[in-house]
Amino acid sequence: MSEITLGRYIFERLHQLKIDTIFGLPGDFNLSLLDKIYEIEGMRWAGNANELNAGYAADGYARVKGISAVVSTFGVGELSLTNAIAGSFAEHCAVLNIVGLPSVNAQAKQLLLHHTLGNGDFTVFHRMFKNISQTSAFIADINTAPQEIDRCIRDAYIYQRPVYVGLPSNLVDLLVPSSLLETPIELSLKPNDPEAQEEVIETVEKLIKEAHNPIILVDACASRHNCKREVAKLVDITQFPVFTTPMGKSGINESHPRFGGVYVGSLSRPDVKAFVENADLVLSIGALLSDFNTGSFSYGYKTKNVVEFHSDYTKIRQATFPGVQMKEALNKLLETVENAVGPNYIPAPVPQQKLINSPAAPDALLTQEYLWTKVSSWFKEGDIIITETGTSAFGIVQSRFPNNTIGISQVLWGSIGYTVGATCGAAMAAQEIDPSKRVVLFVGDGSLQLTVQEISTLCKWECNNTYLYVLNNDGYTIERLIHGQNAGYNDIQPWNNLQLLPLFNAKDYECIRVATVGELNELFANPAFAVPDKIRMIEVMLARMDAPANLVAQAKLSERTNAQM
Amino acid sequence: MSEITLGRYIFERLHQLKIDTIFGLPGDFNLSLLDKIYEIEGMRWAGNANELNAGYAADGYARVKGISAVVSTFGVGELSLTNAIAGSFAEHCAVLNIVGLPSVNAQAKQLLLHHTLGNGDFTVFHRMFKNISQTSAFIADINTAPQEIDRCIRDAYIYQRPVYVGLPSNLVDLLVPSSLLETPIELSLKPNDPEAQEEVIETVEKLIKEAHNPIILVDACASRHNCKREVAKLVDITQFPVFTTPMGKSGINESHPRFGGVYVGSLSRPDVKAFVENADLVLSIGALLSDFNTGSFSYGYKTKNVVEFHSDYTKIRQATFPGVQMKEALNKLLETVENAVGPNYIPAPVPQQKLINSPAAPDALLTQEYLWTKVSSWFKEGDIIITETGTSAFGIVQSRFPNNTIGISQVLWGSIGYTVGATCGAAMAAQEIDPSKRVVLFVGDGSLQLTVQEISTLCKWECNNTYLYVLNNDGYTIERLIHGQNAGYNDIQPWNNLQLLPLFNAKDYECIRVATVGELNELFANPAFAVPDKIRMIEVMLARMDAPANLVAQAKLSERTNAQM
């Protein structure tokens, strides 16, 4: 074939990047486009239950595989994605947001089509998306379409942000040269300015040489911008204690002897707080310092000795080096840092986490404290662990991840319901990588209700690698802690959650309810339960106002900020 | 109380307009605001299952009560509403879209709060919403806040469009003079220019005088801009035959002897098509001439004798009269139109609808044709009848509505899943108006999956006035007709739909499956079934490719438009 359709072209490009599941919903402006997915061996159309969930799924898939794609239809489909796409923008996830548009001809005539605002304006939704996209293309010309698509894929990957591509329904069947596919899309970062980088390395090494108590602090963008390997090496070579933020959790192997815990400003464990704030040098990697990630900006270390490595700049103390990207800078630093570690530095023992519960009677009711302490023992190397904004995202901070864990939590954007969709995306990505890889979701009963139908997609694809822990605490506990403990608006309609898997026609499944310490211990001790051979829902019964201590403290800080004059 | 909180002020204003159910979800930037709802007797917080559904519910409530309100939280909450708000914009529904913002102080400091994009830009979502709102207010000053709120409510009502109001979390507890509430918000339309209106009336009456075969064609905006009474009077006085568009259905009493049917251009019944296109004068009221509303723009009448009455202008043949609003113009016309009807006009009998099925064996499988012909006999005066975009919205065209029906269907915007949310809003509105008022939903098994959790809200509020007809035809039939009849992307995961009501903990409920002509006949003949005393789900089993004839024809036209070069 010397020519292929434009529709096939875009999916071949994605296939080259190992994007083999495409998320989204059909709509009449994208149907011809979707036909092309079936032409490519090994590629599948997820067929989500709604667009918001599809967007969340694409975000989850991108966090596992580095980039993803979602397809929706003009107007009604794409607008349902805005929340998910904004989340991917805020949290640095590469999602190609492909929208099936009306034909070029219909647009030119300003036809009063369905799925329009009725005012002949066909660019309005594109304009809205520009606010939450790294770049975009509103394709109208078949001749430049392949380059435009390549540019969009490239920018999504490089910047790890969502990118909008509008494809008119009549263009997807037009032909483009298939030889274009022979040149891979250029995905490497542009090199740093050598002089600026040299100055950065020199200054950092000088600071390292002088430091007595240096630490490394790993945040979200280390994972998202593909620097986990560099961070691990830096720790190995320097033997500096390494901490993560809540959002950065899983950015470093937590079994590493130099791993010291999770730093959340004033909400950290006291030993972690003291250790971090006593540091005379902080090497911060990929920071995203939002309120929930920092205990409401309660960082206690001194900015005078902080080096911030970011995806697009470096900051040393008060000096900014625009364009010095962390990936290359860290690799450069790794070449010589061994010699920079000075005689002042004597590796001190790092704080140790409590991972064993105080003894409790088997019939004692489960608590958040017990759950989050116990759960570490059940995690396995390679797990993907997903925690919803709420008690889960805060509770998980006190667990320890095994090596090679992928942690997924929307700490900055914090859209409740996100994780159910993200679990779908992560589970389908895991199926592609290794079917024995477990995907473990912790979601509250309140958040589950927003996006529950995506469990149906897990059933459709027989994602038997998923464990869905539903923490049933009778409503929006995180909000009860912030404001309105007994307010009606924090109540939800109670559901019979364990009826969900049969309702959705799950094939191999198991439904379990645990309410006591004994039941949880038994479950985690059961080796059969640990084998990912069916979809499992585990409803964990917890008291209404029981919450991880760090969430209780954060909630108080948030209420104060919201009321502030 | 000489002063009340700003939060209470806004809800008191809504209460004055008989908005007594507020839709939405809690989020930490709106919790203090929501407290105020509970201070007002007779007002309730719906507490929807997700924001998109809440937006759909607000739209449905507005179609019953004239205006509605939805409350969400900054970023994550509001963005999930965009699709619903755009739909309300396209279809002329007055929805006050209230968003709880971070405190003025947090905004000024550009704090990197959760629910932001992480770039300190707090106005980005407001900017996005401006594209799909009639007007907006991003409130920052307590002194002007009441006037701003009044202006927004006024414009939503007058223009029947959504309006955006951003309320910072710290302002809702500040005080404003309660005496402001003593002056009702001015909701009357500004008067038409007398000279322009006089010219309109004179010209229209001259055309009426000369006409031999005049007709009246009622479209969506007649209902939405509160002109149903004027239309009914015009028909009574003139005795002109009256037709509706699909979107205008329920704009006129269909039992009226002068009602001739639904006109959809070339997709109309042949007798209706011939009658309308033979008219020498068309009085078009509140037209919204989208593709699905016109059989893909296949109107066959001559524009030379059309008078278009719109909410903001009038058009007579080729002349536009900007600012001549239909409400006042129609009332003015009603004063003298009796004398204008000339001697040329002899009322001809109008086309008659087939409402009785050809006999079929009781064990014959149900068809769309049988269902939509039969269902008219089961409808009752005062019903609210809601049809999803798909086989339902097209099938309903061949039914006859009893007097005083409210028909709800999103013919222009056409977002699938809309009706489940809209049913929640309409059912809660009906509870307020008259608990014996029935709310009847027809939704496909595919569309249901997008928004299914809103049935839980119906259960929570014990909306025992609802009938949920789920047309189970195994996937997206409307799309199979347009493109990809056997494509995987038009398949859905099959659900056990009749397990939904028990899953959601419905209190009084009934689940029924009908698959044959006999079962349907029996159901409709059962007087107990007709009494709205529980939530009912009726799963109607239909063949995969069975569809109303007008949908089959429309789908062919749509496919052609989408592929057009």
Side-chain angles (χ1 to χ4, degrees):
Chain A
M1 286 186 298
S2 69
E3 291 191 306
I4 56 171
T5 61
L6 181 67
R8 177 155 183 175
Y9 180 83
I10 194 166
F11 293 121
E12 290 283 2
R13 278 308 202 191
L14 297 175
H15 185 58
Q16 288 179 341
L17 299 179
K18 301 199 171 24
I19 303 182
D20 282 332
T21 301
I22 308 292
F23 299 94
L25 269 81
D28 70 329
F29 299 127
N30 69 29
L31 300 178
S32 289
L33 173 64
L34 299 188
D35 284 338
K36 314 309 184 274
I37 295 175
Y38 298 81
E39 296 174 7
I40 299 174
E41 205 180 310
M43 195 163 230
R44 61 178 167 175
W45 169 246
N48 297 90
N50 70 33
E51 283 87 0
L52 177 59
N53 296 359
Y56 289 156
D59 182 294
Y61 185 95
R63 289 183 196 228
V64 177
K65 297 196 71 177
I67 181 166
S68 68
V70 59
V71 179
S72 66
T73 199
F74 183 71
V76 292
E78 59 181 318
L79 286 192
S80 284
L81 276 166
T82 47
N83 180 4
I85 295 296
S88 299
F89 186 87
E91 300 232 340
H92 289 253
C93 288
V95 176
L96 198 71
N97 175 18
I98 304 167
V99 180
L101 307 177
S103 73
V104 171
N105 188 47
Q107 292 183 45
K109 287 187 185 156
Q110 303 197 306
L111 291 183
L112 212 161
L113 293 187
H114 62 289
H115 303 342
T116 70
L117 295 179
N119 57 6
D121 183 351
F122 284 83
T123 63
V124 55
F125 312 124
H126 176 219
R127 296 199 309 274
M128 290 171 72
F129 270 102
K130 280 184 175 178
N131 291 289
I132 50 174
S133 303
Q134 175 68 30
T135 186
S136 68
F138 201 72
I139 291 177
D141 177 355
I142 188 68
N143 296 307
T144 54
Q147 295 93 299
E148 282 288 277
I149 288 168
D150 289 0
R151 176 181 65 81
C152 285
I153 293 173
R154 178 176 194 280
D155 280 8
Y157 185 83
I158 297 281
Y159 297 103
Q160 287 289 307
R161 298 271 201 179
V163 164
Y164 181 99
V165 179
L167 276 182
S169 60
N170 65 316
L171 288 191
V172 298
D173 284 304
L174 299 190
L175 297 173
V176 299
S178 48
S179 60
L180 293 172
L181 292 171
E182 288 159 21
T183 314
I185 300 177
E186 175 60 58
L187 294 180
S188 52
L189 302 173
K190 69 172 196 308
N192 289 338
D193 173 72
E195 280 180 48
Q197 179 161 282
E198 207 182 309
E199 190 174 326
V200 162
I201 303 297
E202 272 173 22
T203 318
V204 172
E205 293 196 337
K206 186 165 169 290
L207 289 171
I208 287 177
K209 212 161 255 156
E210 292 164 0
H212 292 76
N213 309 306
I215 63 155
I216 298 167
L217 183 58
V218 185
D219 205 343
C221 285
S223 302
R224 230 75 99 238
H225 288 273
N226 194 22
C227 291
K228 280 171 80 166
R229 203 188 54 88
E230 287 78 5
V231 171
K233 275 197 176 174
L234 188 64
V235 175
D236 279 340
I237 294 175
T238 62
Q239 290 294 305
F240 292 169
V242 60
F243 297 82
T244 70
T245 64
M247 212 170 161
K249 201 167 153 66
S250 86
I252 183 78
N253 174 9
E254 299 185 2
S255 309
H256 195 286
R258 303 305 292 151
F259 176 67
V262 180
Y263 179 66
V264 210
S266 64
L267 305 186
S268 314
R269 267 179 17 229
D271 54 343
V272 169
K273 179 170 156 44
F275 199 105
V276 169
E277 297 178 1
N278 190 39
D280 58 356
L281 174 63
V282 177
L283 301 178
S284 156
I285 302 173
L288 255 177
L289 303 183
S290 73
D291 53 352
F292 282 8
N293 206 27
T294 62
S296 281
F297 317 111
S298 59
Y299 268 29
Y301 58 67
K302 284 128 202 103
T303 48
K304 89 173 158 72
N305 280 326
V306 180
V307 178
E308 293 177 31
F309 294 98
H310 293 284
S311 62
D312 50 354
Y313 72 101
T314 302
K315 189 177 173 195
I316 303 178
R317 301 170 66 162
Q318 297 303 325
T320 298
F321 299 83
V324 177
Q325 307 156 95
M326 65 181 171
K327 178 98 181 164
E328 187 187 337
L330 285 170
N331 274 300
K332 192 80 194 161
L333 180 64
L334 287 173
E335 290 174 12
T336 49
V337 71
E338 189 165 10
N339 307 322
V341 180
N344 290 334
Y345 175 60
I346 300 149
V350 295
Q352 291 303 313
Q353 217 158 350
K354 175 197 168 218
L355 292 170
I356 295 171
N357 277 297
S358 318
D363 61 351
L365 292 181
L366 260 181
T367 61
Q368 296 265 351
E369 173 65 24
Y370 194 94
L371 171 69
W372 297 114
T373 304
K374 178 77 190 175
V375 75
S376 304
S377 67
W378 181 76
F379 289 148
K380 274 204 323 193
E381 183 154 345
D383 280 354
I384 299 174
I385 299 169
I386 305 174
T387 49
E388 179 67 51
T389 303
T391 57
S392 303
F394 286 85
I396 199 71
V397 167
Q398 71 187 77
S399 76
R400 187 165 73 189
F401 285 172
N403 194 18
N404 197 21
T405 297
I406 298 176
I408 297 181
S409 183
Q410 221 187 28
V411 176
L412 168 56
W413 187 241
S415 181
I416 67 165
Y418 159 76
T419 56
V420 182
T423 296
C424 172
M428 294 184 80
Q431 280 184 327
E432 294 169 15
I433 296 170
D434 172 3
S436 74
K437 204 172 185 60
R438 306 190 310 180
V439 178
V440 183
L441 167 68
F442 296 94
V443 63
D445 56 333
S447 296
L448 173 68
Q449 296 197 352
L450 281 87
T451 47
V452 64
Q453 53 272 80
E454 222 45 45
I455 295 174
S456 159
T457 310
L458 291 172
C459 296
K460 178 166 73 173
W461 290 104
E462 298 182 27
C463 293
N464 293 338
N465 51 353
T466 47
Y467 293 79
L468 312 172
Y469 287 89
V470 177
L471 275 51
N472 187 338
N473 48 19
D474 192 23
Y476 302 123
T477 295
I478 185 172
E479 286 175 2
R480 293 192 204 280
L481 293 165
I482 296 176
H483 189 85
Q485 180 173 334
N486 297 308
Y489 51 72
N490 284 328
D491 295 340
I492 59 170
Q493 170 75 355
W495 289 4
N496 297 305
N497 292 312
L498 294 189
Q499 296 175 10
L500 283 166
L501 291 176
L503 173 91
F504 293 139
N505 268 316
K507 207 171 147 207
D508 301 315
Y509 70 93
E510 185 173 20
C511 301
I512 303 164
R513 180 176 286 121
V514 293
T516 65
V517 162
E519 285 165 357
L520 186 77
N521 289 346
E522 200 181 312
L523 190 69
F524 283 170
N526 179 356
F529 175 73
V531 179
D533 56 1
K534 47 180 77 78
I535 302 186
R536 290 179 168 93
M537 182 176 285
I538 308 97
E539 191 174 35
V540 184
M541 308 307 289
L542 292 159
R544 218 179 198 220
M545 291 305 293
D546 182 25
N550 58 341
L551 172 55
V552 175
Q554 175 64 58
K556 280 186 196 139
L557 296 174
S558 287
E559 178 166 35
R560 203 176 309 153
T561 307
N562 291 343
Q564 225 161 43
M565 293 306 147
Chain B
M1 284 186 300
S2 69
E3 291 191 306
I4 55 170
T5 61
L6 182 66
R8 178 157 184 173
Y9 180 83
I10 194 166
F11 293 121
E12 291 283 3
R13 279 306 202 192
L14 297 176
H15 185 58
Q16 289 179 340
L17 299 179
K18 301 199 172 19
I19 303 182
D20 282 332
T21 301
I22 308 293
F23 299 93
L25 269 82
D28 69 328
F29 300 127
N30 69 27
L31 301 178
S32 288
L33 173 65
L34 300 187
D35 283 338
K36 314 307 183 277
I37 294 174
Y38 297 82
E39 297 173 7
I40 298 173
E41 204 179 311
M43 196 164 229
R44 61 177 167 174
W45 169 246
N48 297 91
N50 70 34
E51 282 87 359
L52 177 59
N53 296 358
Y56 289 155
D59 181 294
Y61 185 96
R63 289 182 197 228
V64 177
K65 298 196 70 178
I67 181 166
S68 68
V70 60
V71 179
S72 66
T73 199
F74 182 70
V76 293
E78 58 181 317
L79 286 192
S80 283
L81 275 166
T82 47
N83 180 4
I85 295 297
S88 299
F89 186 87
E91 300 232 339
H92 290 252
C93 289
V95 176
L96 198 71
N97 175 18
I98 304 167
V99 180
L101 307 178
S103 72
V104 171
N105 187 47
Q107 292 183 46
K109 286 188 186 156
Q110 301 197 306
L111 292 183
L112 213 161
L113 294 186
H114 64 288
H115 303 344
T116 70
L117 295 179
N119 57 7
D121 183 351
F122 284 82
T123 63
V124 55
F125 311 124
H126 175 218
R127 296 198 309 272
M128 290 171 73
F129 269 101
K130 280 185 174 177
N131 290 288
I132 49 175
S133 302
Q134 176 67 31
T135 186
S136 67
F138 201 72
I139 291 176
D141 178 355
I142 189 68
N143 296 308
T144 55
Q147 296 92 300
E148 280 289 275
I149 288 168
D150 289 0
R151 176 181 67 81
C152 285
I153 292 173
R154 177 177 194 281
D155 279 8
Y157 185 83
I158 297 282
Y159 297 103
Q160 287 289 306
R161 298 272 200 179
V163 164
Y164 181 100
V165 178
L167 277 180
S169 58
N170 65 315
L171 288 192
V172 298
D173 284 303
L174 300 191
L175 297 173
V176 298
S178 48
S179 60
L180 292 173
L181 291 171
E182 288 160 21
T183 313
I185 299 177
E186 175 59 59
L187 294 180
S188 53
L189 302 173
K190 69 173 198 307
N192 290 338
D193 172 74
E195 280 182 47
Q197 178 161 282
E198 207 183 309
E199 190 174 326
V200 162
I201 302 297
E202 272 174 20
T203 318
V204 171
E205 293 195 337
K206 186 165 169 288
L207 289 171
I208 287 176
K209 212 160 256 158
E210 291 163 0
H212 291 77
N213 309 306
I215 64 156
I216 298 167
L217 183 58
V218 185
D219 206 342
C221 285
S223 302
R224 231 76 99 236
H225 290 274
N226 193 22
C227 290
K228 280 171 81 165
R229 203 188 54 90
E230 287 77 6
V231 172
K233 277 198 174 172
L234 187 65
V235 175
D236 279 340
I237 295 174
T238 61
Q239 290 293 304
F240 292 169
V242 60
F243 298 81
T244 70
T245 64
M247 211 170 162
K249 201 168 154 63
S250 87
I252 182 79
N253 175 10
E254 299 185 4
S255 309
H256 195 286
R258 301 307 290 151
F259 176 66
V262 180
Y263 178 65
V264 209
S266 64
L267 306 186
S268 314
R269 267 179 18 230
D271 54 342
V272 169
K273 179 169 156 46
F275 198 104
V276 169
E277 297 179 2
N278 190 40
D280 59 356
L281 174 64
V282 177
L283 302 177
S284 156
I285 301 172
L288 254 178
L289 302 184
S290 74
D291 53 352
F292 282 9
N293 206 27
T294 62
S296 282
F297 317 111
S298 60
Y299 269 28
Y301 58 67
K302 286 130 200 102
T303 48
K304 89 173 158 73
N305 281 325
V306 180
V307 178
E308 293 177 32
F309 294 98
H310 293 283
S311 61
D312 50 354
Y313 72 102
T314 302
K315 189 177 172 194
I316 303 178
R317 300 170 66 162
Q318 297 303 325
T320 298
F321 298 82
V324 177
Q325 307 156 95
M326 65 180 172
K327 178 99 182 164
E328 187 187 338
L330 285 171
N331 275 302
K332 193 78 194 163
L333 179 65
L334 288 172
E335 291 174 12
T336 50
V337 70
E338 190 166 8
N339 308 323
V341 179
N344 290 333
Y345 174 60
I346 300 149
V350 295
Q352 292 302 314
Q353 219 158 349
K354 177 197 167 219
L355 292 170
I356 296 172
N357 277 296
S358 318
D363 61 351
L365 293 180
L366 260 180
T367 61
Q368 296 264 351
E369 173 64 25
Y370 195 93
L371 171 69
W372 298 113
T373 304
K374 178 77 188 174
V375 74
S376 303
S377 67
W378 180 77
F379 290 149
K380 274 203 321 193
E381 183 155 344
D383 280 353
I384 299 174
I385 299 169
I386 305 175
T387 50
E388 179 66 51
T389 303
T391 56
S392 302
F394 286 85
I396 199 70
V397 166
Q398 71 187 77
S399 76
R400 188 167 72 189
F401 285 172
N403 193 17
N404 196 22
T405 296
I406 297 176
I408 297 181
S409 184
Q410 221 187 27
V411 176
L412 168 55
W413 187 241
S415 182
I416 67 165
Y418 160 76
T419 55
V420 182
T423 296
C424 171
M428 294 184 79
Q431 280 184 327
E432 294 170 14
I433 296 169
D434 171 4
S436 74
K437 202 171 187 58
R438 306 190 311 179
V439 179
V440 183
L441 166 68
F442 297 94
V443 62
D445 56 333
S447 296
L448 172 68
Q449 296 197 353
L450 280 88
T451 46
V452 64
Q453 53 271 79
E454 222 45 46
I455 295 175
S456 158
T457 311
L458 291 171
C459 296
K460 177 166 73 174
W461 290 104
E462 297 182 30
C463 293
N464 293 339
N465 51 354
T466 48
Y467 294 79
L468 313 172
Y469 287 89
V470 178
L471 276 50
N472 187 339
N473 48 18
D474 192 23
Y476 301 124
T477 294
I478 185 171
E479 286 176 2
R480 294 192 204 282
L481 293 164
I482 295 177
H483 190 84
Q485 181 173 335
N486 298 308
Y489 52 72
N490 285 327
D491 295 340
I492 60 169
Q493 170 75 355
W495 290 3
N496 297 306
N497 292 311
L498 294 188
Q499 296 176 10
L500 283 166
L501 291 176
L503 173 90
F504 294 139
N505 268 316
K507 205 170 150 209
D508 301 315
Y509 70 94
E510 185 173 22
C511 301
I512 303 163
R513 180 175 287 121
V514 293
T516 65
V517 161
E519 286 164 358
L520 186 78
N521 288 346
E522 201 180 310
L523 190 69
F524 284 170
N526 179 358
F529 175 73
V531 179
D533 56 2
K534 47 178 78 76
I535 303 186
R536 290 178 168 93
M537 182 176 285
I538 309 96
E539 191 174 35
V540 184
M541 307 307 289
L542 292 158
R544 216 179 200 221
M545 292 305 293
D546 182 24
N550 57 341
L551 172 56
V552 176
Q554 176 63 57
K556 280 187 195 137
L557 296 174
S558 286
E559 178 167 35
R560 204 176 309 153
T561 306
N562 292 343
Q564 226 161 42
M565 294 305 147

